[in-house]
Amino acid sequence: MKKQRALFATKIGVIAASVGSAIGLGNIWRFPFEAGIHGGGAFLLVYIIVVVLIGIPLICSEFVIGRASRTNVLGAFRKLQKNGQRWHWISFVGILSSLMILSFYSVVAGWTLEYTFASLLGNLQGGTVEDYQEYFTTFTTGNLRPVMWTVIFLLMNYLILRRGLKDGIEKLSNIMTPMLFVILIVFAVSSLMMPGAKAGIEFLFNPDFSKITPSVFLGAMGQAFFSLSLGVSTLITYASYFQKDVPLVRTASIIAGLDTIFAVIAGLIIFPALFSFNMEPTAGPKLVFEVLPYIFSQTSGGQFWATAFFFLLFLVSITSTISMSEISIAFFTEEWKMSREKASLLNTGIAMVFGVLCALSFGLISDFKILGQTIFDFFNNTTANYMMPFCGIFFSIFAGWLMDKKLLRDQLTNEGSLKIYTYRAIVFCMRYVAPIGILGVFFYQLA
C-alpha cells in the first residue's frame, strides 16, 4: 500500500512556512547592504517593481508546478512535461543550487551564533569600529570557530528536519514567524527613536532617480531571487504539500508582501542607527557584523540588544535553511526511496562537507580559487546571479507556455472556485515579463 504524502495541516501553516522560507538573512543581512550600496530609496523602488512584475508571477509558477504534481521537483517535471520533452533535467540545477546555498548560508548562520554568544558574554562591548572589524576578520579567518559554529548550526537544522513536515517544519514556522515579526518591530521602534533617525528614513524612502542604473536592477533582481527563494525549487517542493483549497495567487501575494515588509523593517532598523552614528550605509556584506556591534555598544542596554539582534538572525536563518533542505530531502525520499531520517542525514552531511570548505575559504584555503573566487564567493555568486535566475526563466516558461492550459487555470483558480481578476496579468507576466526581464538583466551581467 502506497504511503499517503504529507500535507500542510492548515492555511496558516502554509503562510508561516512559506514566509519563513522567504524571510531570512536575505532580509536582515543582505537587503540592508544591497540597499546601502545601491542608493537606498532608488534600490527599494526598483526592488518593489521587480517583486510585483517578476517575483509574484514566479512564485505562482512554482506553486502551480508543485501542487499540480504532488511530488519532488524532479518528479514534478517528469509528471507534467509532454511526451518527448526533457524539462526534468532543469530540476538537477535546482537541487544542486539548494545544496550550494545551504552550504554557504550555514556559514553565515554560524557567524550569527558566534556573535550571539559573544554578545551574551559581553565580548562585544566598549570597542571602536576598528576593534569590531579586527574581531570579525580574526574570527572568520580562523580555522576552528567558524567550522564549529557551521557544524552546530547544521546539526540543529537536522534535528528539525528529521521530525518531518507537520511536527518539524510547520510547527516551528507557526511559532517562529510571528515571533520574528514582533522582535523586528521592537528593534525598528527603538532605532526610529535615535537622534539621527530622520536621515536614515529619508535615505531608505526618498529615491534619487539618478541612481537607478542597470546595476541597481541587477542587484534588485538578485535580492528578490535570494529573499523570496525563487528559482531554486523551494516553493515547488512546499507547494507539493499544499491542500487543494489553498488560494495560490493570494498566497503568493501575501508571501511577497510580507517578505518585502520584513525587508523594509530591517532597513528601518539599520539605516536610522547608521545615520545616528554618522556611519556609512555602503559598508557592504560586513555591515551587520562590523558596524552594528559598534552601534549597539554605544547605546543604553547595548549588550541585551546585541544579543537579541544576533539571536534574531539565527532564528531567521533556521527558518530558511529548513525550507532549502526540504528540496533535496523530498528528492532523496521519493526518488531514491530513503527514509526521512536517512534523507535528512544525507542532506546534512553534504551541506556539512561543503559548508566546512566555505568556512575555511576565508582562512586555511583562502588561496584556493574557482574562477578567481574563493569557494564561499563562488557558491554565493554562482547561485544568486546565475543558477537561480536560470531556473527562474525555465520555471516561468514551463508554467506559462508548456503546461496544459486547463491545468494551469484550474490550479490558479482552484478548479474555478475562485475568481482571479488578475489571472490574465499573472499568466502574461509568466510568459513574457519574467523571462524577458530576467534574460535582459542576465545578459547585461554577462556583458
Side-chain angles (χ1 to χ4, degrees):
M1 182 178 178
K2 188 177 179 181
K3 185 179 179 181
Q4 188 174 1
R5 200 166 191 269
L7 297 173
F8 283 113
T10 64
K11 292 179 183 178
I12 295 295
V14 167
I15 297 292
S18 301
V19 171
S21 166
I23 297 166
L25 290 176
N27 301 78
I28 301 173
W29 168 61
R30 203 173 191 273
F31 179 85
F33 81 69
E34 286 284 356
I37 63 179
H38 288 115
F43 177 85
L44 178 60
L45 177 63
V46 173
Y47 178 75
I48 291 172
I49 293 172
V50 170
V51 167
V52 172
L53 295 181
I54 296 178
I56 293 176
L58 276 183
I59 294 174
C60 290
S61 298
E62 295 199 37
F63 278 177
V64 164
I65 294 169
R67 192 170 68 176
S69 62
R70 294 276 185 221
T71 185
N72 67 88
V73 60
L74 174 63
F77 282 98
R78 279 199 308 222
K79 184 175 182 178
L80 298 177
Q81 68 189 7
K82 297 175 182 177
N83 291 335
Q85 293 179 344
R86 294 291 183 268
W87 283 75
H88 61 278
W89 289 105
I90 194 66
S91 63
F92 292 109
V93 179
I95 295 169
L96 177 61
S97 180
S98 70
L99 290 169
M100 291 172 67
I101 294 171
L102 178 62
S103 301
F104 80 80
Y105 197 101
S106 296
V107 174
V108 182
W111 298 350
T112 70
L113 286 172
E114 162 75 18
Y115 273 68
T116 298
F117 282 94
S119 301
L120 185 64
L121 297 174
N123 296 337
L124 297 179
Q125 292 296 306
T128 64
V129 175
E130 290 73 21
D131 291 332
Y132 295 114
Q133 290 172 342
E134 183 180 354
Y135 183 95
F136 181 74
T137 301
T138 302
F139 163 61
T140 55
T141 56
N143 298 323
L144 177 61
R145 278 154 56 209
V147 170
M148 176 188 74
W149 288 122
T150 300
V151 170
I152 289 174
F153 178 83
L154 283 168
L155 288 175
M156 292 178 177
N157 197 60
Y158 163 75
L159 292 176
I160 297 167
L161 289 166
R162 69 191 293 271
R163 294 179 61 86
L165 183 70
K166 292 181 181 178
D167 293 333
I169 296 174
E170 186 171 2
K171 186 175 291 185
L172 179 81
S173 300
N174 285 340
I175 296 170
M176 280 197 176
T177 303
M179 184 191 303
L180 296 176
F181 186 73
V182 172
I183 296 174
L184 276 174
I185 291 294
V186 171
F187 271 110
V189 171
S190 300
S191 184
L192 290 171
M193 293 174 68
M194 290 183 174
K198 183 178 179 182
I201 295 171
E202 289 179 351
F203 177 78
L204 182 60
F205 292 112
N206 188 17
D208 181 352
F209 293 99
S210 66
K211 293 185 178 180
I212 297 179
T213 63
S215 65
V216 173
F217 276 92
L218 175 63
M221 192 180 75
Q223 174 61 29
F225 270 81
F226 192 92
S227 183
L228 293 169
S229 301
L230 299 173
V232 72
S233 64
T234 301
L235 300 176
I236 291 177
T237 305
Y238 266 16
S240 71
Y241 302 130
F242 286 4
Q243 301 277 4
K244 289 196 295 185
D245 62 345
V246 172
L248 299 188
V249 176
R250 188 187 309 162
T251 302
S253 302
I254 291 172
I255 291 168
L258 288 176
D259 183 75
T260 303
I261 289 171
F262 269 80
V264 171
I265 294 174
L268 289 175
I269 294 171
I270 305 294
F271 295 119
L274 287 176
F275 281 89
S276 292
F277 286 87
N278 296 314
M279 307 294 291
E280 288 294 327
T282 55
K286 298 178 182 180
L287 174 68
V288 166
F289 297 100
E290 291 184 351
V291 179
L292 286 189
Y294 169 76
I295 292 175
F296 285 130
S297 72
Q298 302 301 307
T299 57
S300 177
Q303 182 177 354
F304 168 78
W305 292 116
T307 304
F309 179 78
F310 287 111
F311 183 66
L312 166 68
L313 289 185
F314 160 70
L315 293 181
V316 299
S317 301
I318 204 79
T319 59
S320 294
T321 52
I322 58 173
S323 66
M324 199 63 62
S325 300
E326 191 62 23
I327 300 167
S328 56
I329 290 174
F331 171 79
F332 294 148
T333 55
E334 294 174 356
E335 299 297 327
W336 292 359
K337 309 304 179 185
M338 298 176 70
S339 67
R340 174 86 191 185
E341 185 165 347
K342 288 182 179 178
S344 300
L345 191 61
L346 177 58
N347 170 79
T348 303
I350 294 170
M352 205 171 282
V353 171
F354 288 121
V356 168
L357 293 175
C358 287
L360 292 175
S361 69
F362 292 90
L364 184 65
I365 57 173
S366 59
D367 291 333
F368 179 79
K369 307 288 184 181
I370 303 174
L371 300 178
Q373 304 173 87
T374 64
I375 297 175
F376 181 97
D377 288 336
F378 176 77
F379 276 30
N380 183 9
N381 295 329
T382 302
T383 52
N385 296 332
Y386 298 100
M387 297 175 77
M388 294 170 77
F390 177 78
C391 287
I393 291 171
F394 281 90
F395 292 167
S396 63
I397 291 175
F398 185 85
W401 288 102
L402 299 178
M403 273 186 64
D404 180 82
K405 300 301 180 290
K406 183 179 183 302
L407 181 60
L408 175 63
R409 177 178 284 276
D410 285 347
Q411 286 299 318
L412 290 177
T413 63
N414 285 13
E415 298 183 352
S417 63
L418 299 175
K419 291 184 178 179
I420 308 298
Y421 299 104
T422 57
Y423 173 80
R424 291 184 178 180
I426 293 290
V427 173
F428 179 83
C429 288
M430 279 184 190
R431 292 178 174 178
Y432 300 103
V433 178
I436 292 173
I438 297 169
L439 278 174
V441 176
F442 190 70
F443 283 125
Y444 168 79
Q445 178 175 312
L446 289 177

